[in-house]
Amino acid sequence: MTARIVLLVTSPRLPAGLLTSAAWDVVRQHPVLTGAESELVTAVRQAGAEVTVVDGPATQPLLDAVAAHGTVVWLAGPAGDEALARELGLRLARQPGLAEMELMYGSWDPPGARLLDAVAVLDRLASPGGDPWKRAQTHRSLAGYLLEESYEAYDAISADDTDALREELGDVLLQVVLHARLAEELPEDERWTIDDVAGGLVDKMIRRNPHVFAGAEVGTLDEITENWERIKRAEKARHSVLDGVALSQPALALAAQILDRAARAGVKVPLPIAEIQLDPEAKLGASLLAMVAEAREAGLDPEQALRRTTLSQANTIRETEPPPPPAEPPPPR
C-alpha cells in the first residue's frame, strides 16, 4: 500500500465538525496530526478520532507518522497551512519514495462566506478596544458617507469600470454592516442585527417573486413588474401613491419619480404654470418640472441627461482654463 499524507483543508467559516463523509472516513481510519487546538480538533476527537497536536515544525513528525502507519492526516489550520504544504511538496519531490501527498477538502466556503468575515471585522472595529472613530459614529453621522459611497459606485457604473465597481460596492457594504453593528447598541426594544437586515431581505425577495419561489405563472416582464407592485401594495399600508418615495434624492430624479408614480396610479394633476408664478424661484421650479415631464414623455432620464451634459461642460472647462502658475521655489534656508 502506498504511504500517503492527506492534507485535510476545511472552511473556518462553517460550524466545527461539518465535514464530508469522505473526510470523516479518513480521520476515523488514520492518525490525525494538527498544529494547534481548535473547535474542529475538539469535534474530531468527540467523534472518536485520535488527534495529536504538533508543537513546532511539522514536516518531520508527519514523515515519522507516515513511516509508522502508512497513512496519516494533517488537519490544516484556518489559513490552510500553505507553507507546510509547500515544504512537504518540496521534500517529497526530492524523496518521492517517502510518501504521496493528497489534498482533501473536508468542507469549503459556500457563496457569500466572506460576508461572515466582513461582519466579524466590523464587530471587532466597533467593539471596545476597536477603532475609536467607528465606535463614535451614529446612524445620522454616517448618513452622508452612505450617499457618498453610493454615488462613487454610480460613477463606476457610468464609467463601465467593473473593477472600480467591485471596490466601491465593498465601501457600500461597509456602511451597511457598520450601521447594523451600531444598531446592536440601541436600547433593547429598538436594536437589530445584520441577520435581521438579511432575513428581512430574503423574506421580501421570496414574497415578491412568487413566479420563482411559489410556482406562480407570469408571462411578460410587465406582468412580473405589476405582480411585484401589487404584492408591495398589500405589504405596506400606504395612504398615497407617493408614500415611500425617497425625498432626499436629487431634485430632478425626485421630480421624475413623483411624476412616474402619479402616472402609474392614474392620478392626473396639472403642472404649475411658470408664467403665472410671481416668485422667481417658483417660476424656475415650474419650468424645470415641465422639462422633467417632457423628458419623461420622451422616455429620457432628466437626471442622467443633465449629469452627462454637465460632465461634458466640465471637460471643456478643464481644456480651456489656463494652466496653473508654476510653483514658487521654496525660500532659501
Side-chain angles (χ1 to χ4, degrees):
M1 180 180 295
T2 303
R4 63 181 181 140
I5 299 173
V6 179
L7 297 180
L8 183 58
V9 178
T10 60
S11 168
R13 300 172 185 89
L14 296 179
L18 188 62
L19 303 177
T20 63
S21 59
W24 277 120
D25 287 342
V26 76
V27 298
R28 287 186 176 124
Q29 294 170 9
H30 306 287
V32 180
L33 281 69
T34 190
E37 296 286 354
S38 66
E39 292 183 2
L40 178 56
V41 170
T42 300
V44 171
R45 285 193 180 123
Q46 289 175 345
E50 179 183 346
V51 183
T52 301
V53 176
V54 177
D55 184 14
T59 297
Q60 193 57 51
L62 277 169
L63 293 174
D64 293 342
V66 81
H69 301 282
T71 295
V72 65
V73 179
W74 177 261
L75 191 58
D81 295 352
E82 291 184 11
L84 173 61
R86 190 179 307 111
E87 183 179 341
L88 268 173
L90 292 173
R91 179 72 176 272
L92 297 178
R94 293 194 302 267
Q95 298 176 273
L98 293 178
E100 292 182 354
M101 187 166 62
E102 174 186 340
L103 177 64
M104 175 181 289
Y105 287 93
S107 62
W108 50 87
D109 289 344
R114 295 310 302 270
L115 293 173
L116 299 177
D117 292 343
V119 172
V121 167
L122 264 296
D123 178 68
R124 172 79 180 277
L125 291 171
S127 295
D131 176 23
W133 185 88
K134 289 179 176 60
R135 287 179 51 76
Q137 300 311 304
T138 65
H139 295 305
R140 188 174 293 275
S141 71
L142 289 171
Y145 295 104
L146 180 59
L147 280 178
E148 180 182 341
E149 302 298 357
S150 299
Y151 282 133
E152 290 180 3
Y154 185 97
D155 285 345
I157 293 172
S158 298
D160 291 324
D161 190 338
T162 55
D163 287 337
L165 177 60
R166 181 188 65 243
E167 179 180 352
E168 299 303 341
L169 288 177
D171 291 338
V172 174
L173 178 61
L174 184 152
Q175 295 299 313
V176 173
V177 178
L178 182 54
H179 274 284
R181 177 60 184 83
L182 295 178
E184 296 181 28
E185 307 295 333
L186 295 173
E188 186 173 356
D189 59 341
E190 299 178 26
R191 71 182 57 149
W192 40 269
T193 70
I194 190 65
D195 287 319
D196 296 316
V197 175
L201 172 63
V202 169
D203 292 344
K204 181 189 295 184
M205 292 300 100
I206 291 175
R207 284 196 312 270
R208 295 188 184 179
N209 292 277
H211 57 289
V212 176
F213 297 103
E217 293 186 6
V218 291
T220 66
L221 291 178
D222 289 339
E223 290 175 346
I224 292 175
T225 302
E226 174 53 35
N227 205 31
W228 173 286
E229 294 295 338
R230 179 185 59 78
I231 296 171
K232 186 175 178 180
R233 289 193 297 270
E235 290 175 356
K236 298 178 179 291
R238 289 177 169 170
H239 304 288
S240 167
V241 297
L242 302 183
D243 287 350
V245 172
L247 302 180
S248 59
Q249 63 183 301
L252 285 179
L254 174 63
Q257 188 174 8
I258 285 178
L259 294 177
D260 184 64
R261 283 281 191 97
R264 281 191 288 159
V267 179
K268 297 182 180 179
V269 178
L271 297 175
I273 301 174
E275 288 73 15
I276 66 174
Q277 305 299 320
L278 301 179
D279 177 13
E281 187 176 89
K283 181 176 293 187
L284 175 61
S287 298
L288 291 172
L289 185 59
M291 295 178 67
V292 171
E294 291 177 8
R296 182 183 171 277
E297 290 296 326
L300 300 174
D301 181 345
E303 181 75 25
Q304 180 62 23
L306 180 59
R307 178 182 299 275
R308 178 180 177 182
T309 302
T310 301
L311 291 177
S312 176
Q313 182 70 6
N315 288 334
T316 302
I317 291 172
R318 289 192 180 95
E319 294 168 357
T320 306
E321 65 183 333
E328 296 183 3
R333 292 188 176 182

